[in-house]
Amino acid sequence: EADIYQTPRYLVIGTGKKITLECSQTMGHDKMYWYQQDPGMELHLIHYSYGVNSTEKGDLSSESTVSRIRTEHFPLTLESARPSHTSQYLCASRGDTTDGSYEQYFGPGTRLTVT
Amino acid sequence: GNSVTQMEGPVTLSEEAFLTINCTYTATGYPSLFWYVQYPGEGLQLLLKATKADDKGSNKGFEATYRKETTSFHLEKGSVQVSDSAVYFCASSGGSYIPTFGRGTSLIVHP
C-alpha cells in the first residue's frame, strides 16, 4: 500500500486565483514528481525533485512552481489559475529496491477545474 | 532518447478472453521495464516489473517478459475479468531518474 497523499482530491476555482496542490509521502523517498494527465490519459512530467532544495522543470512547459523544503512534502502552486490549467495532477515518489531497480508510487490525484 | 510505444485502445474484450497489450521500447543501455494500472478516479499502481532480459514479471494473473531481442514487454493475461477494466501504462526506467511512460491503453471488459 503506497503512503503518498494528495489534497484536495477535487477543486473547482475561478480564473486568476492562486492555488496550491499538496503532496506528501511517508516513505522517506528523495525523488518526487508531478505529472499532468490529459483527458487522453497521457502523462506529462511538469516538475521533479531529487531531494530537499532540489527542483527541476519537466518536459511539459508549465506555469506552476514547486518547492521541496522537507523530504516528505512537495507542493505545487499556480499563481494565477487559467482554464487551460484544467486537468488531473498526479504526484509520485520513487524508492529504490534491493534488486538495483526502483518502484514509483503515485498519489490518487487532484482533479482541477478552472472556470 | 528513450521512448515507449504501446498499442492504442480501447481494447474491448468479453470476460474470460485472453488479453495482450503490446509495448515496445527504445533506450540506451538496459532499462528496467514496468506495467502500471490506473483504475477510474485513482492514481497509477505498479502492476509488475522486470529488471533484465528474459525476466518475467507477474502479478494478479498478468505477465510480461522482457524481450531484449525485440525490445518488447507485452502484457498478457489468460482470462480477464470485468474488474480488470482500467488503463494500463508501459514504462521504462531512465538513466537520470526520469521514467518514460507510454500513452496508456484503455481496457474494457464486458460481462
Side-chain angles (χ1 to χ4, degrees):
Chain A
E1 194 75 21
D3 295 316
I4 180 164
Y5 309 99
Q6 289 186 245
T7 57
R9 292 293 312 276
Y10 303 93
L11 181 61
V12 180
I13 60 166
T15 298
K17 299 292 186 184
K18 177 180 178 179
I19 58 166
T20 297
L21 307 184
E22 301 288 348
C23 176
S24 295
Q25 50 97 4
T26 58
M27 297 171 283
H29 293 163
D30 287 327
K31 301 170 188 66
M32 296 188 71
Y33 310 80
W34 275 104
Y35 294 89
Q36 188 172 334
Q37 186 172 29
D38 61 27
M41 305 171 298
E42 189 171 0
L43 295 171
H44 301 282
L45 180 66
I46 50 176
H47 296 283
Y48 59 99
S49 167
Y50 290 149
V52 170
N53 295 326
S54 151
T55 62
E56 302 286 344
K57 287 186 180 293
D59 302 325
L60 181 68
S61 175
S62 172
E63 293 157 347
S64 58
T65 59
V66 291
S67 63
R68 191 86 184 277
I69 298 172
R70 303 198 316 266
T71 296
E72 61 270 23
H73 195 212
F74 191 39
L76 181 145
T77 298
L78 280 168
E79 291 292 333
S80 180
R82 296 211 295 263
S84 60
H85 295 138
T86 294
S87 190
Q88 167 91 326
Y89 292 85
L90 293 172
C91 180
S93 71
R94 166 182 162 148
D96 296 330
T97 54
T98 55
D99 60 2
S101 180
Y102 70 89
E103 292 185 3
Q104 201 171 19
Y105 298 89
F106 284 80
T110 294
R111 181 159 296 282
L112 173 65
T113 302
V114 184
T115 61
Chain B
N2 296 351
S3 68
V4 172
T5 303
Q6 57 183 108
M7 62 190 289
E8 288 193 24
V11 174
T12 304
L13 296 172
S14 297
E15 204 164 26
E16 299 183 2
F18 185 86
L19 168 71
T20 299
I21 300 178
N22 291 337
C23 171
T24 57
Y25 68 93
T26 61
T28 54
Y30 303 98
S32 294
L33 300 173
F34 308 84
W35 276 102
Y36 290 84
V37 59
Q38 184 178 30
Y39 297 105
E42 299 182 10
L44 280 68
Q45 302 173 25
L46 179 65
L47 180 59
L48 53 85
K49 71 174 186 181
T51 58
K52 59 184 186 296
D54 300 324
D55 265 3
K56 178 185 282 188
S58 61
N59 186 26
K60 299 180 181 179
F62 291 90
E63 292 183 341
T65 300
Y66 191 138
R67 301 286 188 200
K68 182 169 171 290
E69 63 276 12
T70 55
T71 62
S72 65
F73 193 55
H74 305 322
L75 183 68
E76 297 182 335
K77 186 175 186 183
S79 176
V80 293
Q81 306 300 312
V82 172
S83 56
D84 293 327
S85 298
V87 179
Y88 292 82
F89 291 88
C90 185
S92 72
S93 62
S96 58
Y97 305 115
I98 306 298
T100 301
F101 285 88
R103 292 189 165 193
T105 302
S106 175
L107 171 65
I108 301 168
V109 181
H110 294 292

Short mmCIF file of all heavy atoms in Angstrom, two decimals, chain A residues 22-73:
data_model
loop_
_atom_site.label_atom_id
_atom_site.label_comp_id
_atom_site.label_asym_id
_atom_site.label_seq_id
_atom_site.Cartn_x
_atom_site.Cartn_y
_atom_site.Cartn_z
N GLU A 22 -1.39 19.96 -2.69
CA GLU A 22 -0.50 19.36 -1.69
C GLU A 22 -0.16 17.91 -2.05
O GLU A 22 -1.00 17.18 -2.56
CB GLU A 22 -1.14 19.41 -0.32
CG GLU A 22 -1.50 20.80 0.19
CD GLU A 22 -0.27 21.61 0.58
OE1 GLU A 22 0.83 21.03 0.67
OE2 GLU A 22 -0.42 22.83 0.77
N CYS A 23 1.07 17.53 -1.74
CA CYS A 23 1.51 16.15 -1.93
C CYS A 23 2.45 15.80 -0.79
O CYS A 23 3.43 16.53 -0.55
CB CYS A 23 2.20 15.96 -3.26
SG CYS A 23 2.86 14.29 -3.49
N SER A 24 2.17 14.69 -0.12
CA SER A 24 3.03 14.24 0.97
C SER A 24 3.23 12.73 0.88
O SER A 24 2.33 12.00 0.50
CB SER A 24 2.39 14.56 2.32
OG SER A 24 2.31 15.95 2.52
N GLN A 25 4.44 12.31 1.26
CA GLN A 25 4.72 10.87 1.31
C GLN A 25 5.46 10.56 2.60
O GLN A 25 6.25 11.37 3.10
CB GLN A 25 5.51 10.40 0.08
CG GLN A 25 6.74 11.22 -0.25
CD GLN A 25 8.04 10.65 0.26
OE1 GLN A 25 8.09 9.56 0.84
NE2 GLN A 25 9.13 11.38 0.03
N THR A 26 5.20 9.39 3.13
CA THR A 26 5.76 9.00 4.42
C THR A 26 6.81 7.90 4.27
O THR A 26 7.16 7.22 5.24
CB THR A 26 4.65 8.52 5.37
OG1 THR A 26 3.98 7.42 4.76
CG2 THR A 26 3.66 9.63 5.64
N MET A 27 7.32 7.70 3.07
CA MET A 27 8.25 6.61 2.80
C MET A 27 9.70 7.07 2.83
O MET A 27 10.61 6.26 2.61
CB MET A 27 7.91 5.99 1.44
CG MET A 27 6.52 5.36 1.43
SD MET A 27 5.96 4.83 -0.20
CE MET A 27 5.49 6.40 -0.92
N GLY A 28 9.94 8.37 3.03
CA GLY A 28 11.30 8.87 3.08
C GLY A 28 12.00 8.92 1.74
O GLY A 28 13.23 8.98 1.67
N HIS A 29 11.21 8.92 0.65
CA HIS A 29 11.82 8.93 -0.69
C HIS A 29 12.40 10.30 -1.03
O HIS A 29 11.78 11.33 -0.78
CB HIS A 29 10.78 8.57 -1.75
CG HIS A 29 10.31 7.16 -1.64
ND1 HIS A 29 9.14 6.72 -2.26
CD2 HIS A 29 10.84 6.08 -1.03
CE1 HIS A 29 8.99 5.43 -2.00
NE2 HIS A 29 10.00 5.02 -1.26
N ASP A 30 13.59 10.29 -1.62
CA ASP A 30 14.21 11.54 -2.04
C ASP A 30 13.58 12.08 -3.33
O ASP A 30 13.41 13.28 -3.50
CB ASP A 30 15.71 11.34 -2.28
CG ASP A 30 16.48 11.18 -0.99
OD1 ASP A 30 16.07 11.81 0.02
OD2 ASP A 30 17.48 10.45 -0.97
N LYS A 31 13.27 11.19 -4.26
CA LYS A 31 12.84 11.63 -5.58
C LYS A 31 11.31 11.70 -5.65
O LYS A 31 10.61 10.75 -5.34
CB LYS A 31 13.38 10.68 -6.65
CG LYS A 31 14.91 10.62 -6.64
CD LYS A 31 15.45 9.54 -7.51
CE LYS A 31 16.96 9.38 -7.32
NZ LYS A 31 17.34 8.89 -5.99
N MET A 32 10.83 12.87 -6.07
CA MET A 32 9.40 13.08 -6.22
C MET A 32 9.10 13.77 -7.54
O MET A 32 9.97 14.46 -8.09
CB MET A 32 8.85 13.90 -5.04
CG MET A 32 8.99 13.18 -3.70
SD MET A 32 8.15 14.01 -2.34
CE MET A 32 6.42 13.69 -2.76
N TYR A 33 7.86 13.60 -8.01
CA TYR A 33 7.49 14.03 -9.34
C TYR A 33 6.06 14.58 -9.35
O TYR A 33 5.22 14.12 -8.59
CB TYR A 33 7.52 12.84 -10.31
CG TYR A 33 8.79 12.03 -10.28
CD1 TYR A 33 9.01 11.07 -9.29
CD2 TYR A 33 9.78 12.21 -11.25
CE1 TYR A 33 10.17 10.33 -9.26
CE2 TYR A 33 10.96 11.45 -11.22
CZ TYR A 33 11.14 10.52 -10.22
OH TYR A 33 12.30 9.77 -10.19
N TRP A 34 5.81 15.55 -10.25
CA TRP A 34 4.46 15.98 -10.57
C TRP A 34 4.20 15.72 -12.05
O TRP A 34 5.01 16.09 -12.91
CB TRP A 34 4.28 17.47 -10.30
CG TRP A 34 3.92 17.81 -8.88
CD1 TRP A 34 4.73 18.32 -7.92
CD2 TRP A 34 2.64 17.67 -8.29
NE1 TRP A 34 4.04 18.50 -6.76
CE2 TRP A 34 2.75 18.10 -6.95
CE3 TRP A 34 1.40 17.21 -8.74
CZ2 TRP A 34 1.68 18.11 -6.07
CZ3 TRP A 34 0.33 17.21 -7.86
CH2 TRP A 34 0.47 17.66 -6.54
N TYR A 35 3.05 15.10 -12.31
CA TYR A 35 2.61 14.84 -13.68
C TYR A 35 1.27 15.52 -13.92
O TYR A 35 0.43 15.60 -13.02
CB TYR A 35 2.43 13.35 -13.94
CG TYR A 35 3.69 12.53 -13.89
CD1 TYR A 35 4.14 11.97 -12.69
CD2 TYR A 35 4.43 12.30 -15.04
CE1 TYR A 35 5.30 11.21 -12.65
CE2 TYR A 35 5.59 11.53 -15.01
CZ TYR A 35 6.01 10.99 -13.82
OH TYR A 35 7.16 10.23 -13.78
N GLN A 36 1.07 15.94 -15.15
CA GLN A 36 -0.24 16.41 -15.60
C GLN A 36 -0.77 15.33 -16.54
O GLN A 36 -0.06 14.88 -17.45
CB GLN A 36 -0.10 17.75 -16.33
CG GLN A 36 -1.41 18.40 -16.66
CD GLN A 36 -1.21 19.82 -17.20
OE1 GLN A 36 -0.22 20.48 -16.91
NE2 GLN A 36 -2.14 20.28 -17.99
N GLN A 37 -2.01 14.91 -16.30
CA GLN A 37 -2.58 13.86 -17.13
C GLN A 37 -3.73 14.43 -17.93
O GLN A 37 -4.70 14.92 -17.38
CB GLN A 37 -3.06 12.69 -16.28
CG GLN A 37 -3.54 11.51 -17.11
CD GLN A 37 -3.84 10.27 -16.28
OE1 GLN A 37 -4.21 10.37 -15.12
NE2 GLN A 37 -3.65 9.09 -16.87
N ASP A 38 -3.61 14.36 -19.25
CA ASP A 38 -4.63 14.94 -20.10
C ASP A 38 -5.79 13.97 -20.28
O ASP A 38 -5.69 12.80 -19.90
CB ASP A 38 -4.04 15.41 -21.44
CG ASP A 38 -3.44 14.27 -22.23
OD1 ASP A 38 -3.88 13.11 -22.07
OD2 ASP A 38 -2.53 14.54 -23.03
N PRO A 39 -6.91 14.43 -20.84
CA PRO A 39 -8.08 13.56 -20.99
C PRO A 39 -7.79 12.31 -21.81
O PRO A 39 -8.47 11.31 -21.66
CB PRO A 39 -9.11 14.46 -21.68
CG PRO A 39 -8.70 15.84 -21.29
CD PRO A 39 -7.21 15.81 -21.22
N GLY A 40 -6.79 12.38 -22.67
CA GLY A 40 -6.40 11.20 -23.45
C GLY A 40 -5.53 10.23 -22.67
O GLY A 40 -5.04 9.26 -23.22
N MET A 41 -5.33 10.51 -21.38
CA MET A 41 -4.64 9.66 -20.41
C MET A 41 -3.14 9.84 -20.38
O MET A 41 -2.50 9.42 -19.43
CB MET A 41 -4.95 8.17 -20.64
CG MET A 41 -6.41 7.84 -20.65
SD MET A 41 -6.69 6.15 -21.18
CE MET A 41 -6.03 6.14 -22.83
N GLU A 42 -2.55 10.44 -21.41
CA GLU A 42 -1.09 10.54 -21.45
C GLU A 42 -0.57 11.36 -20.27
O GLU A 42 -1.18 12.36 -19.87
CB GLU A 42 -0.66 11.19 -22.76
CG GLU A 42 0.83 11.16 -23.00
CD GLU A 42 1.21 11.62 -24.40
OE1 GLU A 42 0.30 11.96 -25.19
OE2 GLU A 42 2.42 11.63 -24.70
N LEU A 43 0.55 10.92 -19.72
CA LEU A 43 1.20 11.60 -18.59
C LEU A 43 2.26 12.56 -19.11
O LEU A 43 3.06 12.20 -19.97
CB LEU A 43 1.87 10.58 -17.68
CG LEU A 43 0.98 9.59 -16.95
CD1 LEU A 43 1.83 8.54 -16.27
CD2 LEU A 43 0.11 10.30 -15.94
N HIS A 44 2.28 13.76 -18.54
CA HIS A 44 3.30 14.74 -18.90
C HIS A 44 4.02 15.17 -17.62
O HIS A 44 3.38 15.66 -16.69
CB HIS A 44 2.68 15.96 -19.57
CG HIS A 44 1.91 15.64 -20.81
ND1 HIS A 44 2.52 15.38 -22.02
CD2 HIS A 44 0.58 15.52 -21.02
CE1 HIS A 44 1.59 15.12 -22.92
NE2 HIS A 44 0.42 15.20 -22.36
N LEU A 45 5.33 15.01 -17.59
CA LEU A 45 6.11 15.40 -16.42
C LEU A 45 6.25 16.92 -16.40
O LEU A 45 6.73 17.52 -17.37
CB LEU A 45 7.49 14.75 -16.49
CG LEU A 45 8.44 15.06 -15.34
CD1 LEU A 45 7.92 14.47 -14.03
CD2 LEU A 45 9.84 14.52 -15.65
N ILE A 46 5.84 17.55 -15.31
CA ILE A 46 5.93 19.01 -15.23
C ILE A 46 6.99 19.47 -14.23
O ILE A 46 7.60 20.54 -14.43
CB ILE A 46 4.57 19.66 -14.92
CG1 ILE A 46 3.86 19.01 -13.74
CG2 ILE A 46 3.66 19.61 -16.14
CD1 ILE A 46 2.55 19.71 -13.35
N HIS A 47 7.24 18.72 -13.17
CA HIS A 47 8.29 19.07 -12.20
C HIS A 47 8.82 17.80 -11.56
O HIS A 47 8.09 16.81 -11.45
CB HIS A 47 7.76 19.98 -11.09
CG HIS A 47 7.30 21.32 -11.54
ND1 HIS A 47 8.17 22.34 -11.86
CD2 HIS A 47 6.05 21.81 -11.72
CE1 HIS A 47 7.47 23.41 -12.22
NE2 HIS A 47 6.20 23.12 -12.15
N TYR A 48 10.06 17.86 -11.09
CA TYR A 48 10.58 16.77 -10.30
C TYR A 48 11.63 17.29 -9.32
O TYR A 48 12.11 18.43 -9.45
CB TYR A 48 11.15 15.64 -11.16
CG TYR A 48 12.27 16.01 -12.11
CD1 TYR A 48 13.59 15.77 -11.79
CD2 TYR A 48 11.98 16.56 -13.36
CE1 TYR A 48 14.60 16.09 -12.66
CE2 TYR A 48 12.98 16.88 -14.25
CZ TYR A 48 14.30 16.64 -13.90
OH TYR A 48 15.31 16.96 -14.78
N SER A 49 11.95 16.45 -8.36
CA SER A 49 12.90 16.84 -7.32
C SER A 49 13.74 15.63 -6.94
O SER A 49 13.21 14.52 -6.79
CB SER A 49 12.13 17.35 -6.09
OG SER A 49 12.99 17.46 -4.97
N TYR A 50 15.02 15.86 -6.77
CA TYR A 50 15.92 14.78 -6.35
C TYR A 50 16.11 14.75 -4.83
O TYR A 50 16.76 13.85 -4.31
CB TYR A 50 17.28 14.92 -7.02
CG TYR A 50 17.27 14.64 -8.50
CD1 TYR A 50 18.16 15.27 -9.36
CD2 TYR A 50 16.39 13.72 -9.07
CE1 TYR A 50 18.17 15.01 -10.72
CE2 TYR A 50 16.38 13.46 -10.42
CZ TYR A 50 17.28 14.10 -11.24
OH TYR A 50 17.28 13.85 -12.59
N GLY A 51 15.60 15.78 -4.16
CA GLY A 51 15.75 15.84 -2.71
C GLY A 51 15.47 17.24 -2.22
O GLY A 51 15.10 18.14 -3.00
N VAL A 52 15.68 17.43 -0.93
CA VAL A 52 15.41 18.74 -0.33
C VAL A 52 16.21 19.82 -1.06
O VAL A 52 17.39 19.64 -1.37
CB VAL A 52 15.76 18.70 1.16
CG1 VAL A 52 15.73 20.09 1.77
CG2 VAL A 52 14.81 17.78 1.91
N ASN A 53 15.53 20.93 -1.34
CA ASN A 53 16.09 22.10 -2.02
C ASN A 53 16.49 21.85 -3.47
O ASN A 53 17.21 22.66 -4.07
CB ASN A 53 17.29 22.66 -1.24
CG ASN A 53 16.90 23.21 0.11
OD1 ASN A 53 15.82 23.75 0.28
ND2 ASN A 53 17.77 23.04 1.09
N SER A 54 16.04 20.76 -4.04
CA SER A 54 16.29 20.43 -5.45
C SER A 54 14.97 20.37 -6.19
O SER A 54 14.09 19.59 -5.81
CB SER A 54 17.00 19.06 -5.54
OG SER A 54 16.68 18.41 -6.76
N THR A 55 14.80 21.22 -7.21
CA THR A 55 13.62 21.15 -8.06
C THR A 55 14.02 21.41 -9.50
O THR A 55 14.92 22.23 -9.76
CB THR A 55 12.53 22.16 -7.65
OG1 THR A 55 13.03 23.48 -7.78
CG2 THR A 55 12.04 21.91 -6.24
N GLU A 56 13.36 20.74 -10.42
CA GLU A 56 13.65 20.87 -11.84
C GLU A 56 12.35 20.89 -12.62
O GLU A 56 11.36 20.27 -12.20
CB GLU A 56 14.49 19.69 -12.35
CG GLU A 56 15.81 19.48 -11.64
CD GLU A 56 16.86 20.50 -12.02
OE1 GLU A 56 16.67 21.19 -13.03
OE2 GLU A 56 17.87 20.61 -11.29
N LYS A 57 12.37 21.59 -13.75
CA LYS A 57 11.21 21.57 -14.64
C LYS A 57 11.25 20.32 -15.50
O LYS A 57 12.33 19.85 -15.89
CB LYS A 57 11.19 22.82 -15.52
CG LYS A 57 10.81 24.08 -14.78
CD LYS A 57 10.67 25.26 -15.73
CE LYS A 57 10.29 26.54 -15.03
NZ LYS A 57 8.92 26.46 -14.46
N GLY A 58 10.09 19.82 -15.83
CA GLY A 58 9.99 18.62 -16.65
C GLY A 58 9.84 18.95 -18.12
O GLY A 58 10.18 20.05 -18.57
N ASP A 59 9.30 17.98 -18.86
CA ASP A 59 9.21 18.11 -20.32
C ASP A 59 8.13 19.08 -20.75
O ASP A 59 8.25 19.74 -21.78
CB ASP A 59 8.92 16.74 -20.94
CG ASP A 59 9.99 15.73 -20.58
OD1 ASP A 59 11.17 16.14 -20.47
OD2 ASP A 59 9.65 14.56 -20.41
N LEU A 60 7.06 19.15 -19.98
CA LEU A 60 5.92 19.98 -20.37
C LEU A 60 6.05 21.34 -19.75
O LEU A 60 6.22 21.48 -18.54
CB LEU A 60 4.60 19.32 -19.92
CG LEU A 60 3.32 20.08 -20.29
CD1 LEU A 60 3.11 20.05 -21.79
CD2 LEU A 60 2.12 19.46 -19.58
N SER A 61 6.00 22.36 -20.58
CA SER A 61 6.06 23.72 -20.07
C SER A 61 4.87 23.98 -19.16
O SER A 61 3.73 23.68 -19.50
CB SER A 61 6.04 24.70 -21.24
OG SER A 61 5.98 26.03 -20.77
N SER A 62 5.13 24.50 -18.01
CA SER A 62 4.05 24.71 -17.05
C SER A 62 4.22 26.05 -16.37
O SER A 62 5.34 26.50 -16.15
CB SER A 62 4.07 23.58 -16.01
OG SER A 62 3.16 23.86 -14.98
N GLU A 63 3.13 26.69 -16.06
CA GLU A 63 3.18 27.95 -15.35
C GLU A 63 3.15 27.75 -13.84
O GLU A 63 3.01 28.70 -13.09
CB GLU A 63 2.04 28.85 -15.82
CG GLU A 63 2.21 29.29 -17.26
CD GLU A 63 0.91 29.68 -17.93
OE1 GLU A 63 -0.16 29.39 -17.38
OE2 GLU A 63 0.98 30.27 -19.01
N SER A 64 3.28 26.52 -13.41
CA SER A 64 3.28 26.23 -11.99
C SER A 64 4.69 26.26 -11.44
O SER A 64 5.68 26.23 -12.20
CB SER A 64 2.67 24.84 -11.76
OG SER A 64 3.41 23.86 -12.48
N THR A 65 4.79 26.32 -10.11
CA THR A 65 6.07 26.23 -9.42
C THR A 65 5.96 25.20 -8.31
O THR A 65 4.85 24.87 -7.87
CB THR A 65 6.48 27.59 -8.80
OG1 THR A 65 5.47 28.00 -7.89
CG2 THR A 65 6.67 28.64 -9.88
N VAL A 66 7.10 24.69 -7.88
CA VAL A 66 7.13 23.71 -6.80
C VAL A 66 8.19 24.12 -5.79
O VAL A 66 9.05 24.95 -6.07
CB VAL A 66 7.44 22.29 -7.31
CG1 VAL A 66 6.28 21.75 -8.13
CG2 VAL A 66 8.74 22.26 -8.10
N SER A 67 8.12 23.51 -4.62
CA SER A 67 9.14 23.70 -3.60
C SER A 67 9.38 22.36 -2.91
O SER A 67 8.52 21.48 -2.92
CB SER A 67 8.70 24.76 -2.59
OG SER A 67 7.54 24.33 -1.90
N ARG A 68 10.57 22.22 -2.33
CA ARG A 68 10.90 20.98 -1.60
C ARG A 68 11.74 21.38 -0.38
O ARG A 68 12.97 21.31 -0.38
CB ARG A 68 11.69 20.03 -2.52
CG ARG A 68 11.84 18.64 -1.93
CD ARG A 68 10.68 17.76 -2.21
NE ARG A 68 10.78 16.47 -1.58
CZ ARG A 68 11.47 15.44 -2.09
NH1 ARG A 68 12.15 15.57 -3.21
NH2 ARG A 68 11.49 14.29 -1.46
N ILE A 69 11.03 21.78 0.64
CA ILE A 69 11.70 22.23 1.86
C ILE A 69 11.88 21.05 2.82
O ILE A 69 12.83 21.02 3.61
CB ILE A 69 10.88 23.35 2.52
CG1 ILE A 69 10.81 24.55 1.57
CG2 ILE A 69 11.49 23.77 3.85
CD1 ILE A 69 9.87 25.64 2.03
N ARG A 70 10.97 20.09 2.72
CA ARG A 70 11.05 18.89 3.55
C ARG A 70 10.98 17.67 2.64
O ARG A 70 10.33 17.70 1.59
CB ARG A 70 9.92 18.84 4.56
CG ARG A 70 9.84 20.02 5.49
CD ARG A 70 9.00 19.73 6.73
NE ARG A 70 7.77 19.03 6.46
CZ ARG A 70 6.59 19.61 6.27
NH1 ARG A 70 6.51 20.92 6.27
NH2 ARG A 70 5.51 18.89 6.07
N THR A 71 11.62 16.61 3.03
CA THR A 71 11.65 15.39 2.21
C THR A 71 10.25 14.90 1.89
O THR A 71 9.96 14.48 0.77
CB THR A 71 12.42 14.28 2.94
OG1 THR A 71 13.77 14.67 3.11
CG2 THR A 71 12.37 12.97 2.16
N GLU A 72 9.35 14.98 2.86
CA GLU A 72 8.05 14.34 2.70
C GLU A 72 7.03 15.20 1.96
O GLU A 72 5.96 14.73 1.64
CB GLU A 72 7.48 13.95 4.08
CG GLU A 72 7.26 15.12 5.02
CD GLU A 72 8.48 15.43 5.87
OE1 GLU A 72 9.61 15.07 5.46
OE2 GLU A 72 8.31 16.05 6.95
N HIS A 73 7.36 16.45 1.67
CA HIS A 73 6.36 17.38 1.19
C HIS A 73 6.81 18.03 -0.13
O HIS A 73 7.93 18.55 -0.22
CB HIS A 73 6.15 18.47 2.27
CG HIS A 73 4.92 19.27 2.09
ND1 HIS A 73 4.85 20.59 2.47
CD2 HIS A 73 3.71 18.96 1.59
CE1 HIS A 73 3.64 21.06 2.18
NE2 HIS A 73 2.94 20.08 1.66
#
